Amino acid sequence: MAPISNEPVDPNAPIKRKPISYNNLLLGASLNLFEVSTLGQPFEVLKTQMAANRGQSIGTAARAVWQRGGALGFFQGLIPWAWIEASTKGAVLLFVASEFEYRSRSAGASPFMSGIIGGMTGGLAQAYSTMGFCTFMKTVEVTRHKSAVKESTFKVASDIFKREGIRGINKGVNAVAVRQCTNWASRFGFARWAQDTIIRVRYGEDSNMKPTAVDRVLSSMVGGALSCWNQPIEVIRVELQSQVKTPGRPEKMNISTAAKWIYQNNGVKGFYKGVVPRIGLGMWQTVCMVTIGDSLRQYFGTN
């Protein structure tokens, strides 16, 4: 579940540490698993395919994924890597972001800035705990060459670990961290801005109306879509983790050399390949975690 509420915050209210509900953690993990097992992974596979093969359009990328495995091709990397990531990242985000939001508020930061700080630190914690190696292995599954000999995903992971150690299995983790850090900070910031704007437009500049459920969903979806401004770092992340063999491609890359390689081959447009399915992914995540999540919290009586 989202660790930071979209509800208006009274800056004069007493500062309290948000309680961690284990029912909420379980619900968040369940919703993350539902999200990634339905439309989430197909969007993830499609954006990864486009980011790794930047000459492909959405239609070409979709056909390539279909030819690789039919309908199941859109779920490559789901088991176990996307499931591991989905079942853990919500809990990590909730624990870390809630703690840093509380400490920031206690130090005198505004609710808005505290939300930004909580989102940034929560995103960093996600990346360096479980998302790094899970994201890497999901990308490997989408981009690796499919040989006649079927190798299990665990065999591929084991070979990478034996060959390159822990750094190999976490390749691109710094780019993941930058993406998650800016993702959550932007999402919370844009969502709160969108919510304030929606309330002013609907009810007037001086309205004290609280946002409705529809207002919250719309503002969260706007925040999720606008947070995709950091698509260039996502393309760099995919390039770092990609198994596509391209003549002249440097063997060992970092964020800087990957960015240079993308620009040399695809120009500025190359940094935005896959942004459309990524926006779709952000929308679907919001529907699951906000719309469905709010309904289930009310039904089960969790906070």
Side-chain angles (χ1 to χ4, degrees), residues 31 42 104 122 144 157 173 180 207 215 220 225 230 246 288:
L31 283 173
S104 300
R144 71 184 172 111
V173 68
Q180 288 304 101
S207 175
D215 294 334
S220 294
N230 64 0
T246 305
C288 291

Side-chain angles (χ1 to χ4, degrees), residues 39-286:
L39 294 179
Q41 190 64 8
F43 276 130
E44 177 76 24
V45 169
L46 191 56
K47 75 176 177 67
T48 302
Q49 177 71 24
M50 293 179 68
N53 303 274
R54 290 178 293 278
Q56 296 182 351
S57 64
I58 291 180
T60 305
R63 286 192 292 272
V65 173
W66 182 270
Q67 291 171 358
R68 192 163 58 230
L72 292 179
F74 289 93
F75 291 89
Q76 283 180 304
L78 176 65
I79 303 173
W81 311 114
W83 277 5
I84 294 173
E85 179 183 313
S87 61
T88 56
K89 68 180 182 181
V92 171
L93 181 72
L94 184 61
F95 274 112
V96 176
S98 294
E99 180 66 20
F100 273 84
E101 185 187 16
Y102 166 75
R103 291 184 179 275
S104 300
R105 291 280 286 122
S106 299
S110 67
F112 173 79
M113 184 54 63
S114 297
I116 297 293
I117 293 171
M120 291 175 66
T121 53
L124 288 171
Q126 282 182 321
Y128 289 113
S129 56
T130 60
M131 281 193 72
F133 75 87
C134 288
T135 300
F136 173 65
M137 285 309 303
K138 287 191 300 179
T139 303
V140 168
E141 282 301 297
V142 174
T143 60
R144 71 184 172 111
H145 174 70
K146 303 298 179 182
S147 62
V149 179
K150 178 66 175 178
E151 289 185 315
S152 72
T153 187
F154 292 107
K155 175 66 163 52
V156 174
S158 176
D159 288 345
I160 294 172
F161 182 77
K162 290 177 181 177
R163 187 171 61 249
E164 303 178 51
I166 193 66
R167 287 189 176 184
I169 209 72
N170 273 287
K171 189 180 296 180
V173 68
N174 291 331
V176 175
V178 173
R179 185 197 71 179
Q180 288 304 101
C181 177
T182 54
N183 240 9
W184 283 107
S186 300
R187 186 167 295 176
F188 294 138
F190 283 131
R192 284 184 174 172
W193 166 82
Q195 182 173 275
D196 289 341
T197 302
I198 289 170
I199 291 175
R200 286 199 301 270
V201 170
R202 290 188 62 183
Y203 308 115
E205 289 289 336
D206 300 323
S207 175
N208 292 320
M209 290 287 293
K210 289 187 176 181
T212 65
V214 173
D215 294 334
R216 289 194 295 270
V217 170
L218 286 175
S219 62
S220 294
M221 292 181 72
V222 169
L226 291 178
S227 68
C228 292
W229 65 269
N230 64 0
Q231 179 65 10
I233 195 64
E234 171 68 358
V235 175
I236 292 171
R237 189 275 303 172
V238 172
E239 185 62 41
L240 287 169
Q241 298 176 338
S242 175
Q243 303 298 295
V244 174
K245 303 299 181 184
T246 305
R249 182 180 186 270
E251 284 295 320
K252 294 184 178 180
M253 283 185 169
N254 54 35
I255 291 177
S256 177
T257 54
K260 183 178 180 181
W261 170 255
I262 293 167
Y263 182 77
Q264 286 177 342
N265 288 272
N266 307 101
V268 174
K269 289 183 178 180
F271 290 100
Y272 291 90
K273 293 298 291 186
V275 69
V276 173
R278 188 177 174 209
I279 289 174
L281 175 60
M283 294 289 193
W284 179 237
Q285 287 174 335
T286 305

